[in-house]
Amino acid sequence: MYDARVIANEVLKAAWEDGYDITQIDLQKICYFLNGHHLIEHDQPMIASTFEAWDYGPVQRSLYNQFKKFGSQPITELATAFDPIRRKPKELPQVKTNSVRATIATHLSKYLGIPSFELVEMTHKPETPWSRTRSDAQTSANIGLRITNSMIAEHFEGLCVA
């Protein structure tokens, strides 16, 4: 499993190579969808941290913190980590796991051309992990509105995106 920023960097590099501009909302949703595909194909998440059910859909907090400065504009730089000893940003590692690379290679192109608002709509449909988490939180506690990997995997079973 990888830091969400590592996966985001792989998505950004591939998108830029194919001529796509990616906004923060695009990146959040694409990482969510890739993680869902990886869960059902490899029985484990590709992203180590948990997605949260924010207003505009599933969100990785670390990606939000990294890219919020871009607002709704296209992201123009890769995510970095912070080196506490040198007290400056440092490059994140690249994905080395073949299964994660295969998931990205197989599924990323399905989502790159979908407009942001459609990606949001896809996550907001009834009975999606996002909508179920938001609904469940009205009657039971869920600190951070965390979306469980088991709920994501259940949803992605048999999911088909043209």
Side-chain angles (χ1 to χ4, degrees):
M1 289 188 288
Y2 289 93
D3 180 312
R5 296 169 300 172
V6 171
I7 301 301
N9 283 350
E10 296 296 322
V11 169
L12 288 168
K13 287 186 277 189
W16 295 337
E17 187 175 297
D18 289 344
Y20 288 97
D21 287 331
I22 298 291
T23 66
Q24 185 176 181
I25 284 184
D26 298 328
L27 187 61
Q28 292 281 3
K29 304 313 160 253
I30 289 170
C31 286
Y32 169 77
F33 291 127
L34 292 175
N35 191 64
H37 288 293
H38 196 76
L39 271 166
I40 61 167
E41 292 168 5
H42 301 284
D43 203 31
Q44 64 180 6
M46 67 169 31
I47 296 174
S49 50
T50 306
F51 283 88
E52 299 174 12
W54 288 22
D55 288 346
Y56 291 102
V59 169
Q60 279 288 325
R61 188 174 294 274
S62 64
L63 295 184
Y64 174 77
N65 291 337
Q66 181 77 55
F67 296 115
K68 65 185 174 187
K69 66 184 174 187
F70 292 102
S72 62
Q73 299 303 307
I75 296 169
T76 58
E77 62 190 44
L78 295 175
T80 57
F82 184 74
D83 183 337
I85 295 173
R86 292 185 174 90
R87 293 186 278 154
K88 63 179 187 176
K90 68 176 182 178
E91 281 187 28
L92 287 160
Q94 293 186 356
V95 170
K96 296 190 185 326
T97 310
N98 287 338
S99 63
V100 172
R101 293 172 116 179
T103 298
I104 294 169
T106 301
H107 297 287
L108 179 59
S109 62
K110 297 173 188 175
Y111 299 104
L112 284 176
I114 300 175
S116 302
F117 69 90
E118 286 185 36
L119 292 170
V120 170
E121 285 177 9
M122 289 166 64
T123 63
H124 279 60
K125 289 181 180 175
E127 297 305 309
T128 60
W130 176 87
S131 66
R132 288 174 50 201
T133 300
R134 302 277 294 191
S135 178
D136 292 350
Q138 295 176 6
T139 57
S140 61
N142 180 348
I143 309 263
L145 291 174
R146 292 183 178 97
I147 303 172
T148 65
N149 282 328
S150 60
M151 193 183 292
I152 295 170
E154 179 183 308
H155 175 72
F156 274 82
E157 277 294 331
L159 183 68
C160 193
V161 176

